[in-house]
Amino acid sequence: MNRLPVLPFHTLMVQGTTSDAGKSTVVAALCRLLVRHGVKVVPFKPQNMALNSAVTSDGGEIGRAQALQAQAARIAPHTDMNPVLLKPSSDTGAQVIVHGKVRADMNARDYHRYKTSAMAAVLASYHRLRAQYDTVLVEGAGSPAEINLRARDIANMGFAEAVDCPVILVADIDRGGVFAHLVGTLDCLSESERQRIVGFVINRFRGDISLLQPGLDWLEERTGKPVLAVLPYLHGLHLDAEDAVASAQSVRGKFRVVVPVLPRISNHTDFDALRAHPDVDLQFIGAGQPIPPADLIILPGSKNTRNDLAWLRQQGWPDAIRKHLRYGGKLIGICGGFQMLGQSVDDPHGVEGAPGSMEGLDLLAMRTELTQQKQLLQVSGRCAFNNEAGVAGYEIHMGVSMGDAMQHPAFHIDGRPEGARSADDQILGSYLHGMFDTPQAFSALLAWAGLGGVEAVDLDQLREQSLERVADATQPLFDALLKIDYRSSTGSQRKAPRTS
């Protein structure tokens, strides 16, 4: 039997008026605040659509934001925290991952029909977590006001109604239109769903709060809902992005790194440590942008290697890469980017669409065959080019690479050679995500690429500092939640005695 939580309810759902309103950060902050009170808290996101993912302690795959929230709660990430993960492979289709494992590739219409089964998986995970933890903090997805997606909804109000929990609604004032977002969202909900919302959170505010007050008064009078907190815009946070590539570039340092923004780029959180380093000028290069000169080019992970390889060719990257190498630049390929470096990418089973084969960039003597079985591993080892440097990370891929280049590995992982390097040591490829996250590996990789003698970035420490900052800033919301007297749709009181 769980002891009573600090908050006056056992489950709270955080929904947003838009994507990127700040739901993930609010959940992470509340997790850390509850941990400070000695509460056993767990994050939960019923359905996530994201190409940034993490490998869990039970050998599955979840959204990266939920792994960050688990860190905030000081617990190991588990597949029950994100029972349904959708990884888009095209504009109309996605890989459907249930309880950490690939279930199928589905188009939007097929997945809509599958949602009844998906909801059963969601509720099974929720009830397991509910039995183990004092408090479950649930993150919604996108907006609850998408009328076309209301039927069989498992991500927002459909879930909240199913488990009968209160909801707070977060809106990003930095985008503009915050009052329209909040009022419009309420107007799109059913009466029972509106009653479920216990208050609003206005996020990313900067300026004079007194100038905002008339709007807050109007909003509360118009809706009958309280504004629980106005949270500040916090600069310089180092928290894993759920999906979108960060628009802000790193500090303009002396060492130039460029990364193409592939249409299906995955796990771009691999570059967070580089973005945080003052000596590194990291630039994400999108479609149609000129490719600048660089010291290091990194080809990132991809959810659709063959299509993204075709995109690279359309954008002129192969010629730019060969010129970069002729002038002595270094090149790294990670996961799908590693596969692109070889002589071919073969897909006999149609993992990424129609079965077939595509020529690679022919920069490493190897070929890759895409497989139906996904590799999901948390790994550690040492850098092959610097045996003194330890490395840790994770593998998420559906492919096997083979060839002479593999005889010259990039890393030694768990007693086996991993990845490949070119004979002239200008090119390094690996399936290892998070290779820059370990301080020793960070320094070794930058030294290999030509920037030696720099202090490493400890990304985990930066995350911890950022989590503490957002928790401190979210304290007003936490204090407001303590005062809520929530009654469920059945009229039963959900208030619990508070502890100090």
Side-chain angles (χ1 to χ4, degrees):
M1 185 72 177
N2 288 344
R3 61 184 174 83
L4 292 172
V6 171
L7 294 179
F9 25 73
H10 293 290
T11 300
L12 173 68
M13 190 167 195
V14 179
Q15 297 183 10
T17 58
T18 61
S19 294
D20 200 33
K23 301 182 294 291
S24 298
T25 304
V26 168
V27 169
L30 291 175
C31 281
R32 180 52 58 91
L33 287 166
L34 283 166
V35 166
R36 290 178 182 177
H37 284 77
V39 176
K40 288 181 61 180
V41 58
V42 64
F44 181 70
K45 184 156 185 169
Q47 174 190 288
N48 198 349
M49 179 177 283
L51 288 175
N52 284 345
S53 57
V55 177
T56 62
S57 57
D58 56 327
E61 185 178 6
I62 62 173
R64 191 133 195 98
Q66 281 60 66
L68 175 71
Q69 291 160 357
Q71 180 175 343
R74 301 198 187 283
I75 53 178
H78 190 280
T79 51
D80 276 339
M81 296 176 188
N82 178 203
V84 178
L85 174 62
L86 307 178
K87 302 188 78 171
S89 53
S90 69
D91 290 342
T92 58
Q95 185 181 77
V96 179
I97 296 167
V98 178
H99 291 149
K101 303 298 182 184
V102 176
R103 183 61 55 92
D105 286 284
M106 300 184 191
N107 60 37
R109 190 173 298 277
D110 288 341
Y111 179 69
H112 185 69
R113 288 192 288 263
Y114 179 74
K115 279 186 177 179
T116 301
S117 298
M119 178 60 108
V122 164
L123 292 177
S125 287
Y126 167 75
H127 288 301
R128 281 194 290 266
L129 295 178
R130 178 67 190 84
Q132 298 173 58
Y133 293 89
D134 300 326
T135 302
V136 183
L137 291 180
V138 187
E139 180 187 343
S143 161
E146 307 296 345
I147 303 302
N148 57 309
L149 299 177
R150 296 292 297 283
R152 303 180 186 175
D153 171 52
I154 69 173
N156 289 299
M157 283 299 180
F159 173 81
E161 296 270 71
V163 304
D164 196 12
C165 72
V167 174
I168 60 174
L169 188 61
V170 180
D172 178 6
I173 195 171
D174 196 56
R175 292 169 177 251
V178 68
F179 299 112
H181 283 169
L182 290 166
V183 173
T185 298
L186 279 187
D187 193 54
C188 292
L189 302 179
S190 69
E191 181 59 30
S192 66
E193 292 168 346
R194 282 194 291 271
Q195 291 179 2
R196 198 166 292 288
I197 294 179
V198 296
F200 304 128
V201 178
I202 293 180
N203 193 28
R204 299 191 181 112
F205 176 75
R206 39 186 164 184
D208 186 341
I209 192 70
S210 66
L211 298 177
L212 183 63
Q213 192 60 50
L216 303 182
D217 296 339
W218 174 89
L219 181 64
E220 292 185 341
E221 182 178 357
R222 170 69 181 263
T223 65
K225 306 282 186 185
V227 177
L228 299 173
V230 177
L231 303 180
Y233 193 109
L234 297 179
H235 296 273
L237 291 176
H238 297 282
L239 299 174
D240 302 60
E242 183 167 62
D243 197 39
V245 177
S247 57
Q249 306 291 6
S250 70
V251 176
R252 293 289 190 242
K254 61 184 179 182
F255 190 76
R256 295 164 297 175
V257 181
V258 298
V259 180
V261 182
L262 306 173
R264 296 298 165 194
I265 186 173
S266 66
N267 290 73
H268 58 76
T269 49
D270 285 337
F271 311 113
D272 285 354
L274 291 170
R275 292 179 64 239
H277 201 285
D279 289 330
V280 174
D281 171 12
L282 178 72
Q283 297 184 49
F284 290 108
I285 307 301
Q289 292 182 269
I291 303 169
D295 298 293
L296 172 64
I297 293 176
I298 306 179
L299 301 184
S302 167
K303 187 62 191 71
N304 195 314
T305 301
R306 289 193 296 161
N307 283 354
D308 281 350
L309 181 54
W311 179 88
L312 280 181
R313 289 193 167 102
Q314 292 167 3
Q315 299 294 316
W317 277 93
D319 288 342
I321 289 172
R322 292 184 186 281
K323 180 179 179 181
H324 167 79
L325 293 172
R326 284 198 304 272
Y327 281 87
K330 293 297 185 82
L331 174 65
I332 293 177
I334 302 175
C335 202
F338 172 38
Q339 295 173 342
M340 295 177 190
L341 297 177
Q343 295 155 327
S344 67
V345 179
D346 306 322
D347 189 3
H349 308 288
V351 172
E352 294 184 343
S357 182
M358 177 175 285
E359 289 185 5
L361 297 176
D362 197 20
L363 297 172
L364 289 176
M366 67 172 208
R367 53 177 288 270
T368 296
E369 181 175 312
L370 301 182
T371 59
Q372 294 173 304
Q373 185 68 33
K374 180 176 278 193
Q375 182 88 310
L376 294 166
L377 292 171
Q378 292 182 347
V379 297
S380 62
R382 309 203 75 77
C383 300
F385 51 90
N386 183 341
N387 198 47
E388 300 300 316
V391 67
Y394 55 99
E395 294 184 26
I396 302 177
H397 57 95
M398 301 181 76
V400 177
S401 299
M402 61 207 83
D404 291 343
M406 312 299 286
Q407 303 301 314
H408 193 44
F411 302 101
H412 295 291
I413 297 295
D414 297 332
R416 61 180 169 87
E418 196 282 326
R421 285 180 291 150
S422 60
D424 60 10
D425 212 27
Q426 278 189 268
I427 304 169
L428 182 152
S430 171
Y431 280 111
L432 185 62
H433 289 290
M435 64 173 67
F436 292 101
D437 293 2
T438 307
Q440 287 183 336
F442 180 94
S443 295
L445 282 162
L446 283 187
W448 171 86
L451 180 63
V454 297
E455 185 176 346
V457 166
D458 188 333
L459 193 59
D460 190 63
Q461 183 181 54
L462 291 177
R463 286 194 192 104
E464 276 297 315
Q465 292 170 350
S466 294
L467 286 170
E468 290 296 322
R469 283 183 62 200
V470 297
D472 290 343
T474 309
Q475 185 68 48
L477 171 60
F478 186 81
D479 294 340
L481 290 172
L482 293 176
K483 302 172 184 177
I484 289 176
D485 186 1
Y486 173 69
R487 294 176 182 271
S488 73
S489 60
T490 62
S492 60
Q493 193 167 351
R494 292 294 184 86
K495 190 169 183 178
R498 304 189 192 109
T499 61
S500 59

